[in-house]
């Protein structure tokens, strides 16, 4: 009995150590980033991991077209907003969402999902972990071809003509969507 307990403890400790070693190794290739955007009383925060191109063909190859992508690497990307907003003209309630995308050659679907996921993929199937039953909002936006290659997947915010934009860029592809406060005074 004591021997079984020792073996179990050794395996458990070894598994925990192995998990953290693998996690740290993947973080060195796709570092974490948290970005904040604030305008007036509107606050937005995005957490994501930033994989690098490293000479690979990205969209259509590494990230297949017409399949759900975790929108980065490692953990699922999260999007938090402190108040209800309009995203590309549609209502998105205040809260935290996992952010998924479905890249296509000429457009991407952007998906805000109410469920939080420990990791961006199901490790047994290697497919996106998203459960579509929790989708809160799906929009589709056109892609833009960039003149320069973006080596590391990036998300940033911009403000143009009184609208706020979240911009996703990698390789020579960029997508963006507009968002704004609901009860904006004019």
């Amino acid at each position: 009995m004591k021997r079984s307990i020792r073996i179990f403890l050794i395996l458990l400790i070894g598994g925990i150590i192995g998990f953290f070693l693998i996690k740290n190794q993947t973080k060195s290739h796709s570092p974490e980033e948290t970005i904040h955007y604030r305008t007036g009383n509107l606050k937005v925060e995005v957490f994501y991991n930033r994989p690098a191109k490293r000479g690979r063909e990205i969209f259509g190859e590494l990230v297949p077209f017409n399949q759900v992508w975790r929108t980065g690497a490692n953990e699922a990307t999260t999007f938090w907003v402190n108040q209800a907003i309009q995203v590309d003209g549609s209502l998105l309630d205040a809260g935290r969402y996992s952010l998924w995308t479905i890249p296509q050659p000429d457009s991407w679907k952007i998906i805000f999902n109410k469920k939080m996921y420990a990791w961006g993929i199901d490790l047994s199937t290697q497919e996106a972990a998203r459960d579509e039953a929790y989708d809160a909002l799906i929009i589709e936006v056109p892609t833009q071809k960039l003149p320069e290659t973006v080596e590391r997947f990036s998300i940033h915010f911009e403000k143009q003509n009184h609208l706020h934009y979240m911009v996703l860029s990698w390789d020579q592809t960029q997508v963006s969507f507009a968002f704004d406060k609901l009860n904006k005074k004019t």
Side-chain angles (χ1 to χ4, degrees), residues 11-79:
L11 290 174
L12 179 64
I13 291 168
I16 291 170
I17 291 169
F19 171 77
F20 284 106
L21 287 174
I22 290 170
K23 185 176 177 182
N24 286 337
Q25 180 66 21
T26 62
K27 295 291 180 170
S28 68
H29 295 292
S30 302
E32 294 179 351
E33 176 123 8
T34 301
I35 56 171
H36 302 272
Y37 183 74
R38 183 179 185 151
T39 179
N41 60 359
L42 174 65
K43 298 176 191 173
V44 181
E45 176 184 286
V46 176
F47 167 84
Y48 70 111
N49 288 267
R50 303 185 63 207
K53 178 174 171 57
R54 294 193 311 264
R56 301 176 289 183
E57 184 69 31
I58 302 301
F59 298 107
E61 294 290 326
L62 180 66
V63 178
F65 288 130
N66 301 310
Q67 291 184 24
V68 176
W69 178 43
R70 61 183 153 182
T71 315
N74 305 328
E75 296 94 341
T77 295
T78 59
F79 178 95

Side-chain angles (χ1 to χ4, degrees), residues 66 87-90 100-112 137-143 175-178:
N66 301 310
V87 175
D88 204 33
S90 298
W100 306 84
T101 51
I102 301 176
Q104 300 165 26
D106 298 320
S107 66
W108 283 20
K109 291 182 181 176
I110 312 284
I111 304 163
F112 296 86
L137 177 63
I138 301 173
I139 61 169
E140 190 163 349
V141 295
T143 59
V175 297
S176 62
F177 60 86

